[in-house]
Amino acid sequence: MTSSQLWTRETADRYDAEEAESGMGSAAVLGPTVDFLAELAGEGRALEFAIGTGRVGVPLRERGVPVAGIELSEHMAAVLRRKAAEETLPVTLGDMATTVVPGEFTLVYLVYNTITNLLTQDEQVECFRNAARHLGPGGRFVIELGVPPLRFLPPGQVAVPFDVSERHLGFDTFDLVEQILVSNHFTRDPGDGSYRRDNSRHRYAWPAELDLMARIAGLELERRVADWDGAPFTADSAKHISVWRKPA
């Protein structure tokens, strides 16, 4: 097992509802995501690292792309299983840095900042190597990842809020030496008004650092954009969609 945090049954059972509330499960978000990935997959197969409950993998499969997944949490995979049968969307339990599934793929993808679940640089490099291992010649590896918001940190401050609303308070704290981000969430129960506290640890990485990881794995940067619609990536972009290609 890698250093990734293992999702519990309780978290898995409420995951889809929380993603729907945040808008991440909406057609406005998933439409461009699936379009982007389906175009890269073409007539080939796609492999999703950390497929979770199938937020992206299930609609991509419904688009007609053969999809397989790797997932560390059996509880997350169990939620996915309510949506798609094993023969329709096979999932292998294991970590995305070392687990190998049969066959060759034209696309491997890792969305929603999930590479940061690997808490060491070595593990993140192994994730790139594992992607390259599954790709056929000319295949692509795609990552969706936020740009570390360190410009919002004045001297002496280590926390950045990203959501302040009636039902949720979210802020990230940063260890600038170890490149560790802790995402903190206080979520209000609409019934009794109590708050649930959750947090998760992540290792943030810069786009240039990922490019070096890709080079170590034998992949070449092909494209980097600011979102799934293909907007140009600039110094002000909050995230990036990066595509690396395995040479033919």
Side-chain angles (χ1 to χ4, degrees):
M1 182 182 295
T2 67
S3 59
S4 292
Q5 186 174 350
L6 193 60
W7 295 86
T8 64
R9 182 187 302 275
E10 180 185 7
T11 301
D13 285 343
R14 66 171 184 258
Y15 184 84
D16 283 352
E18 292 182 347
E19 291 306 291
E21 185 174 341
S22 71
M24 291 303 295
S26 68
V29 171
L30 288 176
T33 305
V34 172
D35 288 345
F36 191 105
L37 296 173
E39 181 180 356
L40 289 180
E43 300 298 318
R45 304 168 66 215
L47 174 64
E48 181 171 356
F49 284 178
I51 194 169
T53 65
R55 180 182 68 92
V56 174
V58 170
L60 184 60
R61 180 65 185 89
E62 292 172 348
R63 178 67 66 87
V65 177
V67 177
I70 294 174
E71 173 55 43
L72 184 62
S73 168
E74 62 178 315
H75 303 300
M76 297 289 275
V79 175
L80 183 153
R81 234 355 113 233
R82 302 169 196 166
K83 309 171 188 177
E86 175 69 19
E87 58 269 22
T88 301
L89 202 167
V91 175
T92 301
L93 291 178
D95 70 82
M96 57 188 166
T98 62
T99 300
V100 178
V101 302
E104 189 174 88
F105 297 85
T106 61
L107 173 67
V108 177
Y109 65 96
L110 180 56
V111 299
Y112 207 17
N113 303 320
T114 311
I115 194 170
T116 67
N117 290 359
L118 299 170
L119 298 180
T120 70
Q121 187 181 71
D122 286 344
E123 289 176 335
Q124 291 179 353
V125 169
E126 288 306 311
C127 183
F128 273 82
R129 284 179 166 153
N130 201 28
R133 184 180 297 125
H134 286 90
L135 289 171
R140 275 95 169 189
F141 182 35
V142 176
I143 284 182
E144 175 189 24
L145 183 60
V147 176
L150 300 190
R151 290 193 300 174
F152 294 105
L153 287 176
Q157 182 172 313
V158 296
V160 174
F162 58 84
D163 184 33
V164 179
S165 62
E166 185 175 344
R167 285 204 58 193
H168 178 254
L169 169 63
F171 63 92
D172 294 329
T173 58
F174 295 86
D175 180 333
L176 302 181
V177 175
E178 299 296 330
Q179 287 186 212
I180 295 294
L181 173 159
V182 179
S183 186
N184 300 273
H185 302 265
F186 293 85
T187 307
R188 185 173 181 270
D189 187 307
D192 61 13
S194 63
Y195 279 85
R196 183 185 74 252
R197 179 181 180 181
D198 301 291
N199 60 62
S200 57
R201 290 171 60 81
H202 307 267
R203 182 187 186 273
Y204 62 85
W206 301 95
E209 186 180 4
L210 298 182
D211 290 342
L212 185 56
M213 294 180 190
R215 184 179 301 179
I216 291 170
L219 305 176
E220 303 170 348
L221 181 66
E222 181 177 76
R223 184 184 182 196
R224 174 168 290 131
V225 292
D227 56 34
W228 294 108
D229 289 311
F233 179 74
T234 71
D236 295 320
S237 297
K239 73 173 186 179
H240 60 97
I241 314 296
S242 295
V243 181
W244 297 273
R245 184 174 182 271
K246 185 173 184 176

